[in-house]
Amino acid sequence: MKIARHIIASAFVFMVLIAAAAQGADSGSGDGVLKIGTPNMVKSASILGDSSLGVFAHLSNPPLMKMTPDGAVVGQTAKSYEVSEDGRTWKFVIDDSLYWSDGTPLTPEDVKFTFEYLAENVPSAGWIKNTVRDISVDDGSVVFTLNQPYSRLNLEFATYNVLPKHIWEEIDDPVEYINDGESIGCGPFVIEKIDLPSGVIEFQKNPYWKGEQPQVDAIEVHMYDNMDVLSLALEKGDVDAYYKYAGTYPYANVQKLEDNGNFDFVEKDNVGLIFLGMNLKKEPMSDLKFREALSYGINYDEILNLDALGYGEVANRGFVPPSMVYFQETDALRYDPDQAREILDEAGYKDLNGDGLRENLSGKDMKLLLLTRNDYQRASELMKEYLSDLGIDSEIKTVDSSTWIATKDQYGYDLTVTRTTPWGMMMHANWGTGYFDSRRTGEGVLHVLDDPAFLELCDDILASTSESELEGYAEDLQDYYAANLPGIALYWNKVLTPYNREWKGWVSDPLYGIYNQDNFLNVTRSGA
Amino acid sequence: MLWGKTARYAIAFFLIISLNFAIPRAMPGDTLTNLMGEDVHLSEDAMLELKAKVGVDQPIHIQFLNYWRDLFHLDLGYSYHLHAPVSSLIRERIKWTMLLVAPSIIMGAFVGTLLGALAGWRRKEAKSRLQTTGFLLIYCTPPYFLSMLALYFLGFELGWFPLKGFYQSGTIGDIAHHLFLPVLIMTLFSASRNYMIMRGSVIQERQMLYASYARAKGLSSDQILFRHIFKNAALPIITLVALDFGFIFSGALFIEIVFSMHGMGNLIYDSLLCRDYPVLQGTFAVITIMVILANLLADWTYGLVDPRVRWQR
């Protein structure tokens, strides 16, 4: 037993010594460093290859456009833009006060190069080749001439980082290009180091930044694999604020931060949402009456309270949340199980053999497959209960993300609980169309809707050349959603972003939340 | 005898390496499924181009032959998810994983074997029973839970240790500071398992005639334990420690997730989730080789420690 005591005592003494020695040696990052904690893990130091790093690099390589807190698309690297009446010529006037961090001025040539380079080398930007006929430079501006009108071009350009031509023209395969050291940017801050083993991305001020001077000396993005540990890091003061692309701080952890007393929250209506996706290519989901019945069978208040802890509101039949531009008020989704049962009976989905479960229109047993992922487990279990209340048999299949993608691409499901991201809501013809249009593919999209009326509406939106036209189409689209229910929004939630009260001046935009240039120029330490 | 054993290992190696190719491909989805991001649209043409670049456009038997050809050239492939050759990814991660796992295995083997032997020898003493209860508790606790518990009290409440990463400034003291808590937890797990096995083994061995004979000869209690019983009782530990070393290359997933560590466990886990075939094949191949070598080493050590095994050869 003496040996045991010695081992335990030695371990304890060693632990205290190492903790004390290392705490003395820790340099600390200083008062002027703003630290953001995120669960978005950067896996590789490839700005064009790693989607998380691509978002973080918006600060060093700001896109041409940006979204304001109220959702308007305005210039960022571009001072302004204009579009011709036929919608085929877009002219972006480049901000001539911007300099790359090596002292070279940012020119329209850089912007032209960026889009030609991305179109040629980055698969996800391949659409540019099909849409843009020519890119030219015209007296401080870049002019994009399109093959056909494309009303969402300004919005698309809010997502692509602008690159310095004199650096990237030497790189043949940009997606595979890795640089974990200093990179050249034209934003107020530029990437100094991407240190994956320590889980930190460091940003320093751009010495050639001529615009409004930032209030902080440096920014660090700290990545955490584990959400609970990230919450502890916030409380401990290791990080000052939370950021997750297309996501909120976990509602279950909010109370703890509120009790702590050192935190406030930026609260924003989410543009993305959680919804019930349906395989419209297969019966019974292809039957509008069945979908209609389903919409009355969901207890929206309960699902909002249990899944989002009440941080949100019951959605409308029009799917699109009020946080999106040209939101149209449609009927609210309503829980009325009796009406749901009545519609099912009238439509012919009856329990013919008396086993308590409804049969399909051919009189055969019907068991719906509810495909889900771990993130949506609770909502899926509630859905199963609601279906059961209506006499519909169902089975939950919980899978990992890759299996979910493969299964939904093969239409091997009846129902699925999934989400839209803010960018996802805006992509394609905007207002969530990218999730339903059967002509599209992609990891998160369902591509189940091939109704010609819907497809025509999408094409009209893409080709529209005026805001008033666009507004009209947006309303038509939401009416279409309300009437046809290709997806049912389970709730419209809020995005909560906690920050330490030591820092003030936070703003959030609908696309990238608090990770925007205005925020990092304005945030300042209280009392500074 | 030696040829037979070598042939067995060679067949096992061929089968396992072939399975390493087949298993990732048997999972739903493919290596392109998760490559582009949740809300990115790819045209059919772009998708075909990407398939050709990644090499999954080839018939499966051609992919299999290419896989073996590359392996013979010591080429583990290229990860389009992580934008680097698999061998450099493994090299980058393995050095950190070694720092995390190797000390835990060594200390866990030392502490667990020693304390387990003493506990088995003096199993009726109250202190020994208390110690056994303690190790049993650790042994039964889910690693994730114990890691969170330790991190909460020692890292968050007391603030003695950092909450994430392998380092902050990169000095030796800083790395040791970051590694201490995860190594401690892994050591406790390794020690508790070795402790339980060693304790049971000693209890069994002490009932043997040779132990009674040693006592009759007038040897002291410590002499009987450490000169005679320890060697015989430690045989199962040799296998376990050898296998632990074999699995060093698979990292310690739960610890790496809790402490946000960029090690082998995370590499394999992420590769599984996004079906990164080259990384899965490469890491599994390295693990296979290590496990086979570890088995060979265990065989050899058995012979060294136990003359009966030597004689049977």
Side-chain angles (χ1 to χ4, degrees):
Chain A
M1 284 301 120
K2 264 186 191 168
I3 297 173
R5 277 204 300 273
H6 284 158
I7 289 173
I8 292 164
S10 310
F12 185 76
V13 170
F14 185 58
M15 180 164 78
V16 173
L17 279 176
I18 205 164
Q23 280 193 340
D26 273 354
S27 54
S29 303
D31 276 356
V33 180
L34 175 65
K35 294 180 198 161
I36 309 290
T38 179
N40 294 137
M41 299 297 288
V42 170
K43 310 281 184 195
S44 151
S46 164
I47 286 184
L48 294 176
D50 187 287
S51 54
S52 293
L53 185 57
V55 172
F56 294 132
H58 284 347
L59 194 53
S60 60
N61 297 69
L64 210 51
M65 310 299 290
K66 69 177 178 184
M67 194 168 262
T68 60
D70 56 3
V73 182
V74 298
Q76 184 164 235
T77 306
K79 269 195 296 201
S80 59
Y81 73 97
E82 58 190 58
V83 54
S84 65
E85 265 186 28
D86 67 356
R88 288 170 188 263
T89 308
W90 291 71
K91 185 175 182 181
F92 295 87
V93 182
I94 305 305
D95 186 347
D96 55 7
S97 70
L98 293 174
Y99 285 79
W100 298 106
S101 50
D102 58 2
T104 317
L106 172 107
T107 64
E109 285 293 343
D110 286 314
V111 177
K112 177 179 186 296
F113 165 78
T114 297
F115 287 100
E116 286 174 346
Y117 187 65
L118 294 178
E120 206 52 52
N121 295 295
V122 179
S124 57
W127 64 271
I128 297 174
K129 275 191 281 191
N130 304 326
T131 310
V132 179
R133 195 174 68 219
D134 179 57
I135 307 175
S136 60
V137 169
D138 174 30
D139 189 27
S141 305
V142 183
V143 180
F144 293 81
T145 309
L146 313 186
N147 292 320
Q148 58 200 30
Y150 183 38
S151 61
R152 314 313 297 153
L153 193 75
N154 54 348
L155 189 56
E156 290 277 4
F157 286 176
T159 62
Y160 293 101
N161 300 323
V162 174
L163 306 169
K165 182 183 176 189
H166 60 288
I167 303 292
W168 285 84
E169 65 186 349
E170 309 289 332
I171 298 162
D172 292 331
D173 195 348
V175 175
E176 304 307 321
Y177 175 67
I178 284 183
N179 174 19
D180 57 7
E182 189 183 339
S183 67
I184 304 297
C186 62
F189 294 91
V190 289
I191 295 174
E192 178 77 3
K193 191 163 82 168
I194 301 166
D195 196 338
L196 297 181
S198 74
V200 182
I201 305 170
E202 293 177 16
F203 290 85
Q204 293 294 332
K205 277 184 181 174
N206 176 356
Y208 294 93
W209 174 256
K210 311 280 185 202
E212 180 190 348
Q213 283 305 304
Q215 304 295 309
V216 296
D217 299 330
I219 292 168
E220 289 177 3
V221 175
H222 289 254
M223 296 168 282
Y224 290 82
D225 244 334
N226 183 296
M227 194 52 234
D228 292 326
V229 179
L230 175 47
S231 297
L232 291 178
L234 268 167
E235 279 197 76
K236 193 183 170 194
D238 285 358
V239 290
D240 304 306
Y242 172 84
Y243 175 71
K244 183 183 181 189
Y245 170 68
T248 176
Y249 188 70
Y251 300 127
N253 297 9
V254 168
Q255 189 60 48
K256 193 141 189 291
L257 285 190
E258 283 179 344
D259 293 346
N260 178 291
N262 292 328
F263 292 89
D264 276 331
F265 294 82
V266 180
E267 194 174 304
K268 193 96 184 161
D269 289 334
N270 196 358
V271 172
L273 48 85
I274 307 288
F275 74 102
L276 181 68
M278 294 172 268
N279 183 359
L280 305 179
K281 295 195 177 269
K282 194 175 156 191
E283 285 184 346
M285 304 321 302
S286 55
D287 183 349
L288 176 58
K289 286 181 183 146
F290 193 89
R291 301 200 296 273
E292 187 76 35
L294 216 56
S295 79
Y296 286 108
I298 299 168
N299 188 339
Y300 299 98
D301 283 311
E302 184 180 67
I303 214 164
L304 173 66
N305 285 324
L306 291 179
D307 200 44
L309 303 186
Y311 288 99
E313 58 183 308
V314 172
N316 288 355
R317 292 171 64 101
F319 193 75
V320 176
S323 48
M324 287 199 86
V325 69
Y326 303 141
F327 164 72
Q328 153 100 335
E329 194 70 64
T330 53
D331 290 343
L333 288 160
R334 193 160 51 86
Y335 177 49
D336 187 344
D338 290 335
Q339 188 165 352
R341 287 185 204 103
E342 204 177 303
I343 295 171
L344 285 170
D345 286 342
E346 279 173 14
Y349 298 96
K350 293 181 180 169
D351 176 15
L352 301 171
N353 59 11
D355 65 352
L357 297 169
R358 293 175 190 274
E359 279 79 55
N360 64 18
L361 293 180
S362 320
K364 291 182 180 160
D365 285 349
M366 175 173 69
K367 188 171 193 174
L368 303 185
L369 180 64
L370 179 46
L371 185 71
T372 192
R373 290 168 280 182
N374 278 332
D375 291 347
Y376 312 107
Q377 190 66 31
R378 187 178 300 164
S380 301
E381 278 165 12
L382 288 168
M383 276 307 308
K384 183 175 163 60
E385 265 183 43
Y386 302 147
L387 290 168
S388 175
D389 282 350
L390 300 181
I392 299 168
D393 195 12
S394 66
E395 172 195 3
I396 294 178
K397 187 176 176 187
T398 306
V399 294
D400 71 340
S401 189
S402 293
T403 308
W404 183 84
I405 295 167
T407 311
K408 63 95 187 159
D409 280 347
Q410 291 158 6
Y411 305 105
Y413 68 102
D414 294 297
L415 295 164
T416 183
V417 176
T418 182
R419 73 160 186 174
T420 68
T421 63
W423 172 246
M425 287 299 285
M426 295 172 201
M427 68 185 177
H428 188 41
N430 214 331
W431 298 289
T433 50
Y435 285 92
F436 301 114
D437 191 325
S438 59
R439 297 167 297 184
R440 288 178 64 90
T441 54
E443 290 179 14
V445 310
L446 299 180
H447 47 80
V448 283
L449 192 49
D450 47 18
D451 178 358
F454 173 76
L455 302 184
E456 192 184 333
L457 206 45
C458 290
D459 292 341
D460 287 344
I461 291 171
L462 289 169
S464 71
T465 53
S466 75
E467 284 298 310
S468 59
E469 209 178 17
L470 207 55
E471 186 172 0
Y473 288 137
E475 286 172 4
D476 292 348
L477 184 70
Q478 290 168 78
D479 287 340
Y480 179 90
Y481 284 151
N484 293 282
L485 296 167
I488 298 173
L490 295 180
Y491 50 80
W492 290 328
N493 67 325
K494 293 195 178 295
V495 175
L496 300 182
T497 306
Y499 61 91
N500 196 306
R501 282 185 185 152
E502 280 194 21
W503 298 87
K504 59 181 184 184
W506 297 86
V507 285
S508 175
D509 75 54
L511 193 51
Y512 291 111
I514 62 154
Y515 205 87
N516 63 74
Q517 196 183 92
D518 293 337
N519 202 34
F520 293 121
L521 287 174
N522 291 317
V523 167
T524 179
R525 193 178 272 279
S526 301
Chain B
M1 202 74 173
L2 183 68
W3 283 110
K5 190 173 278 187
T6 310
R8 270 207 310 276
Y9 278 119
I11 291 167
F13 178 75
F14 175 80
L15 287 176
I16 297 169
I17 293 288
S18 299
L19 281 175
N20 291 347
F21 173 86
I23 289 171
R25 284 168 177 78
M27 295 191 289
D30 64 38
T31 197
L32 292 179
T33 304
N34 251 331
L35 192 59
M36 299 312 302
E38 183 179 349
D39 46 18
V40 172
H41 169 67
L42 269 191
S43 66
E44 281 298 316
D45 287 349
M47 187 56 100
L48 289 174
E49 209 175 297
L50 211 55
K51 276 188 175 175
K53 186 178 175 185
V54 174
V56 289
D57 60 331
Q58 304 275 341
I60 198 79
H61 67 278
I62 301 286
Q63 289 183 47
F64 184 66
L65 291 174
N66 289 343
Y67 163 71
W68 271 102
R69 184 200 60 204
D70 292 344
L71 268 185
F72 279 122
H73 289 92
L74 300 179
D75 178 0
L76 296 181
Y78 186 90
S79 167
Y80 286 94
H81 284 269
L82 299 173
H83 313 288
V86 175
S87 52
S88 80
L89 285 170
I90 293 177
R91 264 201 313 276
E92 174 59 30
R93 305 282 186 115
I94 198 75
K95 64 183 182 203
W96 293 110
T97 297
M98 286 289 273
L99 277 178
L100 173 68
V101 184
S104 315
I105 293 173
I106 294 165
M107 289 193 289
F110 175 72
V111 173
T113 312
L114 193 63
L115 295 185
L118 289 168
W121 191 242
R122 300 164 189 162
R123 71 182 197 283
K124 287 185 179 160
E125 288 181 15
K127 282 177 189 170
S128 171
R129 284 181 178 171
L130 193 69
Q131 197 181 67
T132 303
T133 309
F135 274 112
L136 192 62
L137 207 65
I138 294 168
Y139 190 59
C140 299
T141 309
Y144 183 84
F145 178 67
L146 189 71
S147 305
M148 283 302 294
L149 214 59
L151 188 121
Y152 181 77
F153 285 109
L154 298 174
F156 177 69
E157 287 291 347
L158 295 172
W160 287 1
F161 297 100
L163 302 183
K164 76 159 173 80
F166 282 110
Y167 58 80
Q168 185 182 343
S169 62
T171 61
I172 292 176
D174 177 51
I175 294 171
H177 188 205
H178 279 72
L179 281 173
F180 187 86
L181 205 50
V183 168
L184 177 74
I185 295 160
M186 284 195 68
T187 303
L188 283 175
F189 272 108
S190 171
S192 64
R193 186 202 56 190
N194 293 336
Y195 177 94
M196 302 310 294
I197 288 167
M198 191 63 184
R199 179 178 172 275
S201 200
V202 166
I203 289 171
Q204 212 171 6
E205 289 294 324
R206 66 176 291 165
Q207 290 161 1
M208 297 291 183
L209 277 177
Y210 72 88
S212 307
Y213 179 71
R215 189 175 294 281
K217 264 194 346 182
L219 293 182
S220 72
S221 188
D222 284 350
Q223 280 174 323
I224 301 169
L225 174 63
F226 290 110
R227 212 182 275 177
H228 295 284
I229 290 184
F230 192 88
K231 244 165 83 166
N232 290 327
L235 288 175
I237 301 287
I238 292 172
T239 314
L240 283 174
V241 173
L243 282 175
D244 278 348
F245 268 102
F247 281 106
I248 271 184
F249 290 83
S250 64
L253 180 61
F254 286 112
I255 301 281
E256 288 181 13
I257 286 177
V258 170
F259 290 91
S260 306
M261 289 174 144
H262 207 59
M264 287 296 288
N266 255 328
L267 178 69
I268 295 171
Y269 180 64
D270 287 340
S271 308
L272 268 174
L273 290 186
C274 58
R275 314 288 192 259
D276 192 344
Y277 296 159
V279 174
L280 288 173
Q281 289 162 185
T283 49
F284 288 169
V286 173
I287 294 169
T288 305
I289 293 165
M290 288 307 294
V291 170
I292 287 176
L293 287 178
N295 268 294
L296 277 168
L297 186 71
D299 271 2
W300 177 74
T301 317
Y302 253 75
L304 210 66
V305 173
D306 190 343
R308 289 168 299 180
V309 177
R310 219 163 34 229
W311 177 80
Q312 278 171 3
R313 283 171 184 169

